[in-house]
Amino acid sequence: MSGHELEINEIIARIRELNAKFVGLQFPEGLKLHAVDVARQIESETGTTVIISADPCFGACDVADVDMNGMVDVLIHFGHKPLPINYDIPVIFVDASSKMELLGSVGNAMGLLENYKRIGLVTTAQHLKQLGEVAEFLEQNGKEVVINEGVGTTWGQVLGCNFSAIKNIDVDAFLYVGSGNFHALGITLFTDKPVIIADPYLDEARLITDFSDRILRIRFARIAKAMDAENFGIIVSTKKGQNRLDLAKKLKNMLEEEWREGFILLLDDVSPEKLLPYMDLDAFVMTACPRIAIDDSKRYKKPLLTPQELEIAIGRREWEDYEIDEIKYGVLNNKTNKYNII
């Protein structure tokens, strides 16, 4: 089904093992078009009733376990690996691995990697099963490959909010296999090392340098605009994997120490429309998903800063110490967690 492995037969086997009567399904946006077909097959072969989560899903930080608690016996979450957080109901995570061929774009990257011997290799969840193949290709072409495990992430995996897999490893450059620029941006800002993107969706390879420079100019402009702000809205997410209320409280205290005001705003989905009633505030700080302040910056009429950017704006951090925000997950005992992985 589609360009992803959705492991339907194994899912059905697990549902039968659990003797589940009601099953929840949750898909990221790119896979939602398969939801009805998957539900139809599960109901047909197991006799269960399926409930599909139709809300937006932004990652493993946004699992529908709270919404479906009391409604279903098990939730099947597609497209992500679990984070080290406690889930309210049993959750089965399905990788939905991509079937896309990667070596073409990796081959295109070899010219950009020409001057680097020791390569840090990373990707996102959907390409992890092919990472060994990519590493073998690089080694056959004379490279030393380093793949590291992160806190809350598996070997070679980076998230849009967590880059622990690339920190403190000795490499000459990084190769990120995947689409978009945000993950590569985080890598270069955390490591100050060259980052090459092998993009299988565009079948091309590129450096992150120009994009990184452009984003930093935009971010510095937002920070400069917020320097004179007297009051800030500090946004906290109700999503379990994004909730950083303790950080928000710390930022509020920090602002008060600088004789400024901070007001904590609790939201589920963050959007410019939901902030319209609070336009009397001078600026906002994002403690929810770190990508919102970067990716959606142009959508907000007032400066929207990350916690680190707020520190610069109020003189608590030097400009030279700029870093991208990330959510630092702890490590939980899996025996207490209600999830498993397909």
Side-chain angles (χ1 to χ4, degrees):
M1 179 180 291
S2 79
H4 294 80
E5 299 174 8
L6 298 185
E7 310 290 355
I8 303 301
N9 291 334
E10 189 168 350
I11 291 168
I12 288 171
R14 295 283 183 91
I15 291 171
R16 287 172 175 161
E17 287 174 9
L18 293 169
N19 196 28
K21 303 301 181 185
F22 296 91
V23 175
L25 298 182
Q26 186 178 26
F27 296 82
E29 300 311 295
L31 295 177
K32 272 187 166 61
L33 70 165
H34 304 298
V36 172
D37 287 339
V38 173
R40 181 183 291 116
Q41 187 172 348
I42 290 174
E43 289 188 338
S44 173
E45 297 191 29
T46 66
T48 59
T49 298
V50 171
I51 300 175
I52 301 169
S53 173
D55 282 329
C57 172
F58 300 103
C61 60
D62 190 21
V63 175
D65 58 317
V66 175
D67 295 340
M68 291 199 176
N69 191 6
M71 296 184 185
V72 300
D73 302 308
V74 62
L75 170 63
I76 316 295
H77 179 97
F78 291 84
H80 304 103
K81 289 187 176 295
L83 295 173
I85 56 180
N86 285 313
Y87 298 102
D88 289 12
I89 58 175
V91 183
I92 296 174
F93 286 83
V94 183
D95 282 349
S97 298
S98 173
K99 299 177 184 178
M100 181 167 289
E101 194 275 328
L102 303 181
L103 295 187
S105 59
V106 174
N108 293 336
M110 295 309 298
L112 297 174
L113 292 169
E114 182 179 6
N115 296 323
Y116 309 113
K117 177 70 174 178
R118 191 171 169 86
I119 308 300
L121 181 60
V122 290
T123 188
T124 51
Q126 62 265 37
H127 301 302
L128 283 172
K129 286 185 178 180
Q130 298 165 275
L131 206 59
E133 180 184 7
V134 174
E136 183 178 353
F137 176 86
L138 292 172
E139 289 169 349
Q140 289 173 350
N141 283 273
K143 304 300 181 183
E144 296 178 16
V145 178
V146 179
I147 303 176
N148 199 22
E149 184 179 20
V151 179
T153 59
T154 190
W155 292 96
Q157 182 189 15
V158 288
L159 304 174
C161 61
N162 186 295
F163 296 88
S164 54
I166 54 91
K167 292 181 179 178
N168 302 317
I169 61 175
D170 180 22
V171 295
D172 302 318
F174 286 91
L175 178 65
Y176 165 71
V177 182
S179 64
N181 294 308
F182 188 86
H183 295 85
L185 173 68
I187 296 167
T188 193
L189 290 179
F190 273 119
T191 66
D192 199 29
K193 294 286 181 71
V195 180
I196 292 90
I197 302 170
D199 189 331
Y201 298 88
L202 298 178
D203 192 27
E204 70 174 24
R206 60 186 182 272
L207 289 165
I208 191 62
T209 311
D210 290 343
F211 178 81
S212 175
D213 291 345
R214 185 168 68 253
I215 290 297
L216 284 177
R217 286 195 296 270
I218 294 171
R219 299 317 305 160
F220 288 166
R222 300 292 186 274
I223 295 169
K225 191 173 181 180
M227 282 182 162
D228 295 328
E230 296 181 358
N231 44 62
F232 293 78
I234 306 170
I235 298 169
V236 176
S237 175
T238 59
K239 299 182 190 302
K240 191 179 298 184
Q242 296 181 19
N243 185 295
R244 291 190 284 176
L245 179 58
D246 288 343
L247 174 60
K249 292 176 180 177
K250 178 182 175 182
L251 296 176
K252 179 179 173 67
N253 290 336
M254 187 186 302
L255 285 167
E256 290 173 352
E257 289 171 2
E258 299 295 332
W259 301 98
R260 309 193 198 201
E261 292 182 304
F263 300 93
I264 295 175
L265 306 175
L266 188 66
L267 290 169
D268 182 25
D269 292 330
V270 181
S271 69
E273 293 74 25
K274 290 187 177 180
L275 295 183
L276 286 176
Y278 310 101
M279 285 296 106
D280 56 330
L281 297 174
D282 298 323
F284 297 90
V285 187
M286 179 61 60
T287 71
C289 175
R291 295 192 62 166
I292 297 173
I294 307 295
D295 286 355
D296 298 338
S297 176
K298 293 181 180 179
R299 299 179 58 205
Y300 292 86
K301 296 181 179 180
K302 297 290 182 73
L304 179 62
L305 307 183
T306 67
Q308 294 83 353
E309 291 170 349
L310 174 65
E311 292 178 354
I312 295 175
I314 64 175
R316 293 290 188 99
R317 178 189 289 260
E318 298 297 325
W319 289 88
E320 294 77 14
D321 294 332
Y322 183 92
E323 66 179 36
I324 199 167
D325 184 31
E326 67 171 341
I327 297 178
K328 295 178 173 64
Y329 296 103
V331 179
L332 295 182
N333 184 343
N334 284 351
K335 293 181 180 179
T336 67
N337 256 347
K338 301 178 180 179
Y339 71 76
N340 54 49
I341 307 170
I342 293 178

